[in-house]
Amino acid sequence: MAVRKKSDFPVSEIRRFIEPGPIVLVSSQHKGERNIMTMGWHMVMSFEPSLIGCYVWNQNHSHELIRKSRQCVINVPTSTMADTVVGIGNTSGRDIDKFQHFNLTATKAENVDVPMIGECHANLECRLVDGTLIRTYSVFVFEVVKAHAPKTPRTPKMLHYTGDGVFITSGPTRNLRKKFRPEKL
Amino acid sequence: MAVRKKSDFPVSEIRRFIEPGPIVLVSSQHKGERNIMTMGWHMVMSFEPSLIGCYVWNQNHSHELIRKSRQCVINVPTSTMADTVVGIGNTSGRDIDKFQHFNLTATKAENVDVPMIGECHANLECRLVDGTLIRTYSVFVFEVVKAHAPKTPRTPKMLHYTGDGVFITSGPTRNLRKKFRPEKL
């Protein structure tokens, strides 16, 4: 796996990566400790500001790192990273440094003090803007404050988790743009 | 399109359909008026109880029907229904009865007074259990109280929306079960 070349990407358009529902890798850092977790439960909640709701179970080691630092990076892996995704889900940041263990490149974010995963297709720098749902639902509401993605492909082949160890990979794209009413796009 | 034969499906396992992030069709009914909308922003929030958070914009005609009746059905369409999905997104329940217009079969739910869409792969009967996020975020927290799905295939070919009229269809399945730690499945 190689570090991907990316450019600045409009935060209001990151639905492209999140709305299709891929498994993502969340990186976090607090007081010198860093971690990565897999996350499958998330949703777009707004374009502007660019909001994402994320479920981070309070038993995950990342939960406290994110809650205390109030920031994270959502990294979108491609289907070629399947083994790494499973490995990250199998292990705990209590025991290992996952960047080191999985040979992932920590790249520097611009607006948060959290390492991004260079090998992922897209990196979304996030700040916690609403923590009121953490206690009840383990849901963090983040604002994407900066996004990094390559110019092409428009959408990568992603992994979608279905439980029981079974993933669906992204299949063929269908462009139905001509069938949409312009105001519905 | 034919009405699909389904059986009772465990509500605690509906993540199979929702977690991969497909576009879904939400049917609703209130005081004799029924409607269908497309929905792309949703997330699993719990297995037991089986909770799903859903974004239903307050400009959607369905918003008030769901808010007032406190129930809906989340119907999971397959990729063969792409034209119908786009058509439903293009039109408003203010102008037409979408079941009739799109020649969809309204089947009877067991625990909610909302018609299900027979042609869809799975039907999840939902009750609103938390309406406190509606005003701030247009987010409804539903409990799935009953689910209907065929025994096979385990997961259908679904549609995932990426914005701009472009969908990704579900591609090949990858079973990585053997690589998971048992407690992580």
Side-chain angles (χ1 to χ4, degrees), chain B residues 139-167:
Chain B
V139 168
F140 292 65
V141 181
F142 294 115
E143 179 176 353
V144 181
V145 292
K146 176 91 186 170
H148 311 262
K151 290 214 191 320
T152 55
R154 182 183 177 281
T155 44
K157 280 201 183 300
M158 298 182 280
L159 290 163
H160 303 262
Y161 194 52
T162 71
D164 269 335
V166 180
F167 295 86

Side-chain angles (χ1 to χ4, degrees), chain A residues 90-101:
Chain A
N90 269 341
T91 49
S92 172
R94 285 181 195 91
D95 310 319
I96 56 168
D97 176 321
K98 296 197 194 180
F99 277 95
Q100 200 170 11
H101 188 88

Side-chain angles (χ1 to χ4, degrees), chain A residues 29-99:
Chain A
Q29 181 164 271
H30 181 64
K31 292 194 175 170
E33 189 182 1
R34 63 187 184 177
N35 197 23
I36 308 173
M37 64 170 276
T38 53
M39 181 170 75
W41 296 0
H42 51 71
M43 69 189 284
V44 181
M45 290 173 65
S46 164
F47 293 127
E48 289 181 323
S50 177
L51 301 183
I52 307 180
C54 299
Y55 179 96
V56 181
W57 192 30
N58 61 18
Q59 297 304 301
N60 282 117
H61 188 59
S62 298
H63 182 98
E64 284 300 284
L65 300 183
I66 299 170
R67 196 180 63 78
K68 287 177 179 162
S69 68
R70 301 180 65 85
Q71 46 188 237
C72 72
V73 174
I74 296 176
N75 306 273
V76 182
T78 57
S79 56
T80 57
M81 294 176 70
D83 287 348
T84 303
V85 168
V86 175
I88 286 170
N90 269 341
T91 49
S92 172
R94 285 181 195 91
D95 310 319
I96 56 168
D97 176 321
K98 296 197 194 180
F99 277 95

Side-chain angles (χ1 to χ4, degrees), chain A residues 15 19-20 41 83 89-90 130 137 154 160-167 169 171-174 176-177 179 181, chain B residues 15 19-20 41 83 90 130 137 154 160-167 169 171-174 176-177 179 181:
Chain A
R15 76 182 284 187
E19 183 170 339
W41 296 0
D83 287 348
N90 269 341
D130 185 351
Y137 290 120
R154 182 184 177 281
H160 303 260
Y161 194 52
T162 71
D164 269 336
V166 180
F167 293 87
T169 54
T173 295
R174 290 192 62 176
L176 299 178
R177 190 179 169 86
K179 297 195 173 180
R181 288 196 186 181
Chain B
R15 78 182 281 187
E19 184 170 337
W41 296 0
D83 287 348
N90 270 339
D130 184 350
Y137 290 120
R154 182 183 177 281
H160 303 262
Y161 194 52
T162 71
D164 269 335
V166 180
F167 295 86
T169 53
T173 295
R174 290 192 62 176
L176 298 178
R177 189 179 168 85
K179 297 195 173 180
R181 286 195 188 182

